[in-house]
Amino acid sequence: MKIPFSYIFRNLWTRKLTTTLTAAGMGLVVFVFAAVLMMDAGLKKTMVGTGTLDNVLAIRTGVETEIQSSITRDQAGLLEAMPQVARSKAGEPMISKETLVLISLIKSGQEKGSNVVVRGVSPMGIALRPQVTLVQGRMFRSGASELVVGRNINGQFDGAEIGQTLRFAQREWTIVGVFDGGGSAFDSEMWGDVEQLMQAFRRLNYSSVILKLAQAESFDPLLKEIAADVRLTIDAKREQIFYEDQSRALSLFISILGNVLTVIFSIGAIIGAAITMYSSVAMRTAEIGTLRALGFRRPSILAAFLGESLLLGLVGGLAGLFFATFLQAITISTLNFQSFSQLAFSFTLTPKIVAQTLLFSMLMGFVGGFLPALRAARMKIVDSLRAA
């Protein structure tokens, strides 16, 4: 015979205080576990959303970031002439020669400066990023010392509001607009005219070149043509893959730190669940003997007590996950280890994270409840009834 589920549920409901305390401990662990997964998912979503698979990003061979890269004007011209590059309706190559610089800005309410990326783009560079839309003001004019700022920069740094000016590279730069990067890393950048920024910083070479493929299958032929030309000492990657790689170091750091905290907290939660279940077994010795006398076999007793522990874990998991959902309203600003600049991203909850979180909470319930359940199942009928 199998013990009905209602019996399992009533036993947990009868012990409201211990059930609540144990579930709360598990819920805290689940909250931390879910927060780590959501943070990592938010970071990857931000970085992957920065690029598109149709775009290719080229940087100098041997470097990992655009900040470190240097591409000469001659090399950019060679890329521009390649047949794999898409052409606009006007016949212009859809390619953007860009430069990246880091400037220090004071975050609102703080005294210490933070590195912010200023990207010099061409008009074609704006067209190559359809996810970027202007939400306030206007776009910067070519040939002018003007900037537009991402929505995560606007209002969070001193001098980053429309109409305000920033002084760097011995120039005054006027903020003329705010853009929305669609949740990408562009939201944490400032954009201006590439030639003006190169003049101001006295740079001769570009940092990177972004180009749009004429066809989806043009990527491999493009790589072969680049490799065949000894003048092109550059590496090319699909833009989405490039930015995904940029998040790897920070993602690894978040995962390691989060997993260490989760393991430490989960040990305490498992011990708490085990204590709760051992206490339940000790208090219900006579009840266990009665169940055995009524014909319920050892596997049924084991399943019943293990079911209680699993249900306890599920309750804690649902509670922790419920509070974790509120993290989605929070935006984190941290240092990107690859570019040494500020990167803002939000917690992101996905169906996969929900499944992983609930599975983890039930795993804690299983580990914490297995030994107490095994002890209950091994009790002898005579000894159990005699203890009553």
Side-chain angles (χ1 to χ4, degrees):
M1 285 192 298
K2 292 183 179 180
I3 298 176
F5 178 78
S6 57
Y7 169 82
I8 299 172
F9 179 78
R10 281 198 302 269
N11 280 319
L12 286 178
W13 184 254
T14 301
R15 297 175 283 112
K16 296 184 183 68
L17 181 59
T18 54
T19 297
T20 301
L21 292 176
T22 305
M26 288 185 166
L28 177 61
V29 178
V30 168
F31 176 83
V32 173
F33 180 72
V36 171
L37 294 179
M38 290 169 64
M39 189 184 301
D40 190 44
L43 171 64
K44 290 177 178 176
K45 179 183 177 183
T46 296
M47 296 305 290
V48 171
T50 303
T52 61
L53 287 175
D54 289 339
N55 289 350
V56 174
L57 190 147
I59 56 175
R60 182 167 58 87
T61 300
V63 302
E64 296 182 354
T65 67
E66 293 176 271
I67 293 291
Q68 301 168 314
S69 176
S70 176
I71 294 181
T72 66
R73 293 179 181 271
D74 289 341
Q75 290 175 327
L78 291 172
L79 288 173
E80 196 172 35
M82 288 188 174
Q84 293 84 9
V85 178
R87 295 295 191 270
S88 67
K89 293 181 180 179
E92 298 179 45
M94 299 187 72
I95 188 169
S96 178
K97 307 159 192 176
E98 301 184 352
T99 189
L100 261 75
V101 295
L102 291 178
I103 65 170
S104 181
L105 290 183
I106 304 298
K107 211 166 189 179
S108 300
Q110 297 183 7
E111 297 181 358
K112 189 177 180 181
S114 300
N115 286 339
V116 174
V117 170
V118 180
R119 180 183 295 271
V121 299
S122 64
M124 186 59 73
I126 299 171
L128 289 176
R129 275 72 177 240
Q131 72 271 42
V132 175
T133 56
L134 196 67
V135 292
Q136 292 181 43
R138 60 174 175 83
M139 188 56 67
F140 63 86
R141 294 173 299 180
S142 297
S145 298
E146 297 177 342
L147 298 172
V148 292
V149 300
R151 62 183 178 87
N152 289 333
I153 300 296
N154 178 243
Q156 295 190 27
F157 288 86
D158 293 344
E161 298 281 356
I162 293 179
Q164 294 182 324
T165 58
L166 295 173
R167 182 169 179 80
F168 59 86
Q170 299 181 347
R171 282 198 196 181
E172 297 284 342
W173 301 83
T174 305
I175 308 299
V176 297
V178 178
F179 65 85
D180 185 341
S184 66
F186 293 139
D187 285 325
S188 301
E189 295 182 355
M190 308 172 76
W191 288 8
D193 180 69
V194 59
E195 296 300 333
Q196 291 302 308
L197 283 166
M198 290 182 69
Q199 289 177 23
F201 283 91
R202 299 182 180 179
R203 292 195 174 187
L204 299 177
N205 298 332
Y206 301 107
S207 299
S208 60
V209 172
I210 317 296
L211 60 91
K212 185 176 181 65
L213 294 173
Q215 297 177 344
E217 59 272 16
S218 298
F219 181 64
D220 290 335
L222 176 69
L223 292 183
K224 290 180 181 178
E225 189 155 349
I226 290 174
D229 195 328
V230 294
R231 295 169 294 178
L232 293 175
T233 53
I234 62 176
D235 289 331
K237 289 184 180 181
R238 291 188 184 272
E239 191 182 26
Q240 195 173 83
I241 303 301
F242 174 82
Y243 283 111
E244 185 176 359
D245 291 343
Q246 295 292 292
S247 68
R248 193 163 294 164
L250 183 55
S251 175
L252 181 63
F253 173 76
I254 291 173
S255 297
I256 292 175
L257 178 62
N259 288 335
V260 169
L261 291 175
T262 299
V263 169
I264 294 173
F265 289 157
S266 64
I267 291 173
I270 289 171
I271 292 174
I275 292 173
T276 299
M277 294 308 298
Y278 271 121
S279 175
S280 176
V281 171
M283 293 172 59
R284 294 156 60 190
T285 302
E287 183 181 321
I288 294 170
T290 303
L291 290 172
R292 294 283 286 114
L294 291 173
F296 291 99
R297 301 179 64 82
R298 295 182 189 276
S300 296
I301 302 296
L302 176 67
F305 278 85
L306 198 54
E308 287 186 29
S309 185
L310 288 171
L311 186 58
L312 198 59
L314 180 61
V315 171
L318 290 172
L321 194 59
F322 171 76
F323 287 105
T325 58
F326 294 101
L327 292 174
Q328 295 178 97
I330 299 175
T331 298
I332 301 174
S333 182
T334 187
L335 179 69
N336 185 349
F337 299 151
Q338 294 289 102
S339 62
F340 299 102
S341 61
Q342 287 295 302
L343 175 66
F345 58 93
S346 301
F347 289 87
T348 301
L349 183 64
T350 65
K352 182 180 178 181
I353 292 176
V354 173
Q356 289 176 323
T357 300
L358 294 180
L359 183 63
F360 173 69
S361 66
M362 295 184 72
L363 179 63
M364 284 196 298
F366 178 85
V367 174
F370 180 75
L371 291 179
L374 189 63
R375 179 180 179 182
R378 287 180 173 178
M379 284 186 177
K380 296 181 180 179
I381 300 176
V382 175
D383 293 339
S384 299
L385 294 175
R386 186 180 298 160

